[in-house]
């Protein structure tokens, strides 16, 4: 019995000694890892720049079960952030600098372990070279757990390698898997909406839509409003010659809602029109091809564009519905004049004279 007490005391002392030793170790860390992602630099940047995509490639995020992710209105670009919680672990990541298609700088906190994370992207043979460097300071629990797992650097490098593999695999499939279908002529119904209208350069259009759409959805959530359909984009002007586009991010409402003056969001009305409907299933990078296919269909089938109407994109399924870009659904509505019903052709039927009844033969008296 006395031997067991001595053994127990020895184990306790050993544990205390190891804990004190680990506690005195430097908590600073620095890891750096690079990989080649076989996708264009712009595609890679747009994907990692939006925190909503991290669930699809972050190694520990795809592995852990029961994680709750919280997203504010802004999830991409400078000022974006998100947080997560699985009951025992909590974390927060925030972007404080982002240069388009080039670099991202972030700050994170995971259960008290803080880090600054730097992303750098460069064109290379076969795709994009991506480099991630993280510097920070570990809390005591992280130092203890990493000590018994081969060290923090080993854990972090392993996580980065898995994340890079997931990212490469995800982009290779999700961005290249898509379909375009011309559905035919439909009637777009009237109604009401809330909208935000801006004018920008054409190349800035995708980025501005990605920024404005979450803000609109957040506005509805914040004010306990319900949409009567799917959000959509209306194009007021698309001037290729002057490189200018004016568009509105819209969300349909059941009734007209009046907004106080000074707000970026205003009340609008949806005007009904006849249009050609085309459906893209896949990432938004294929929208240009979908528009071209729709315009070719109009030309080849003798329809006349109705320039008095407004071109629209309706977002049926987005990243908020399904994380895989290959399953996103976007409808393109191009206003056209309905084809006139064919005028019945009158065929002249020749007149045929009715047969003449012969006169009775004269009676001859012998």
């Amino acid at each position: 019995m006395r031997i067991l007490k001595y053994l127990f005391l020895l184990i306790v002392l050993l544990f205390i000694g190891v804990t004190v030793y680990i506690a005195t170790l430097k908590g600073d860390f620095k890891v750096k890892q690079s990989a080649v992602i076989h996708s264009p630099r712009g595609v890679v940047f747009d994907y990692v720049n939006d925190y909503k995509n991290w669930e699809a490639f972050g190694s520990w995020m795809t592995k852990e079960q029961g994680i709750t992710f919280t997203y504010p209105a802004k999830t991409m670009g400078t000022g974006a952030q998100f947080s997560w919680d699985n009951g025992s672990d909590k974390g927060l990541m925030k972007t404080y600098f982002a240069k388009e298609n080039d670099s991202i700088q972030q700050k994170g906190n995971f259960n008290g372990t803080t880090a600054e994370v730097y992303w750098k992207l460069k064109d290379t043979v076969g795709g994009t070279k991506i480099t991630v460097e993280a510097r920070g300071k570990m809390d005591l629990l992280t130092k203890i757990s990493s000590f018994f797992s081969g060290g923090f650097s080993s854990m972090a490098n392993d996580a980065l390698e898995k994340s890079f593999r997931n990212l490469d695999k995800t982009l290779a499939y999700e961005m290249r898997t898509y379909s375009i279908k011309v559905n035919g002529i439909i009637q777009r119904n009237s109604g009401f909406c809330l909208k935000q209208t801006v004018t920008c350069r054409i190349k800035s259009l995708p980025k501005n839509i990605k920024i404005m759409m979450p803000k609109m959805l957040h506005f509805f959530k914040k004010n306990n409003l319900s949409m009567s359909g799917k959000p959509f984009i209306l194009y007021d002007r698309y001037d290729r010659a002057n490189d200018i586009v004016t568009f509105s991010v819209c969300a349909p409402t059941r009734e007209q809602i009046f907004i106080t003056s000074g707000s970026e969001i205003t009340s609008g009305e949806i005007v009904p029109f006849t249009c050609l409907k085309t459906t893209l299933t896949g990432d938004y990078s294929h929208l240009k091809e979908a528009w071209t296919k729709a315009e070719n269909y109009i030309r080849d089938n003798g329809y006349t564009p109705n320039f008095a109407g407004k071109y629209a994109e309706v977002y049926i399924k987005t990243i908020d519905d399904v994380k895989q870009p290959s399953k996103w659904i976007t409808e393109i509505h191009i206003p056209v004049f309905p084809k006139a019903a064919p005028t019945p052709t009158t065929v002249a039927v020749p007149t045929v004279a009715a047969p003449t009844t012969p006169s009775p033969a004269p009676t001859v008296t012998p």
Side-chain angles (χ1 to χ4, degrees), residues 6-17:
Y6 286 146
L7 287 175
F8 176 75
L9 179 60
L10 182 61
I11 292 172
V12 171
L13 291 174
L14 180 61
F15 176 77
I16 294 174

Side-chain angles (χ1 to χ4, degrees), residues 125-349:
V125 177
T128 304
K129 180 181 179 181
I130 184 170
T131 301
V132 176
E133 181 178 341
R135 308 170 188 167
K137 195 173 187 65
M138 293 178 283
D139 68 319
L140 178 59
L141 290 178
T142 302
K143 284 198 288 185
I144 293 174
S145 62
S146 61
F147 178 82
F148 291 103
S149 301
F152 185 83
S153 295
S154 176
M155 291 173 55
N157 282 319
D158 183 59
L160 282 174
E161 288 179 1
K162 291 179 180 177
S163 296
F164 288 153
R165 287 197 297 269
N166 290 343
L167 178 61
D168 191 29
K169 182 179 178 181
T170 298
L171 291 179
Y173 177 81
E174 294 297 335
M175 297 300 171
R176 299 170 190 173
T177 303
Y178 71 101
S179 65
I180 299 171
K181 180 181 180 181
V182 177
N183 305 96
I185 302 299
I186 66 167
Q187 183 69 27
R188 187 151 170 78
N189 298 325
S190 61
F192 300 100
C193 66
L194 293 183
K195 64 179 184 177
Q196 182 182 359
T197 305
V198 299
T199 299
C200 66
R201 299 293 183 187
I202 292 177
K203 73 173 185 178
S204 300
L205 174 64
K207 180 178 70 174
N208 285 330
I209 291 177
K210 288 181 180 180
I211 293 173
M212 293 168 61
M213 186 64 75
K215 285 185 177 180
M216 177 64 74
L217 300 180
H218 184 73
F219 181 87
F220 268 69
K221 183 177 180 180
K222 179 181 177 182
N223 292 279
N224 294 318
L225 299 174
S226 298
M227 285 191 292
S228 61
K230 297 297 183 178
F232 58 95
I233 303 293
L234 284 182
Y235 291 95
D236 301 294
R237 177 188 180 191
Y238 201 100
D239 188 346
R240 289 188 176 93
N242 295 296
D243 190 28
I244 291 177
V245 57
T246 299
F247 68 97
S248 300
V249 172
C250 310
T253 58
R254 291 185 177 86
E255 56 188 8
Q256 191 169 19
I257 298 175
F258 295 96
I259 306 297
T260 56
S261 60
S263 173
E264 293 179 335
I265 304 214
T266 59
S267 180
E269 186 173 354
I270 303 172
V271 179
F273 57 85
T274 301
C275 63
L276 175 72
K277 171 184 168 182
T278 302
T279 301
L280 165 67
T281 302
D283 182 68
Y284 304 132
S285 59
H286 306 292
L287 272 172
K288 184 178 179 180
E289 182 182 343
W291 276 97
T292 299
K293 190 169 185 177
E295 291 166 349
N296 290 341
Y297 182 92
I298 290 174
R299 182 197 63 220
D300 296 341
N301 289 273
Y303 287 99
T304 302
N306 179 6
F307 297 110
K310 292 185 178 181
Y311 291 45
E313 290 173 358
V314 185
Y315 295 89
I316 306 300
K317 279 188 179 182
T318 68
I319 192 172
D320 294 316
D321 304 303
V322 57
K323 295 303 177 183
Q324 299 95 323
S326 62
K327 297 181 180 179
W328 296 347
I329 299 176
T330 309
E331 291 180 359
I332 294 173
H333 295 172
I334 299 180
V336 296
F337 289 106
K339 286 185 178 180
T343 303
T345 303
T346 302
V347 180
V349 180

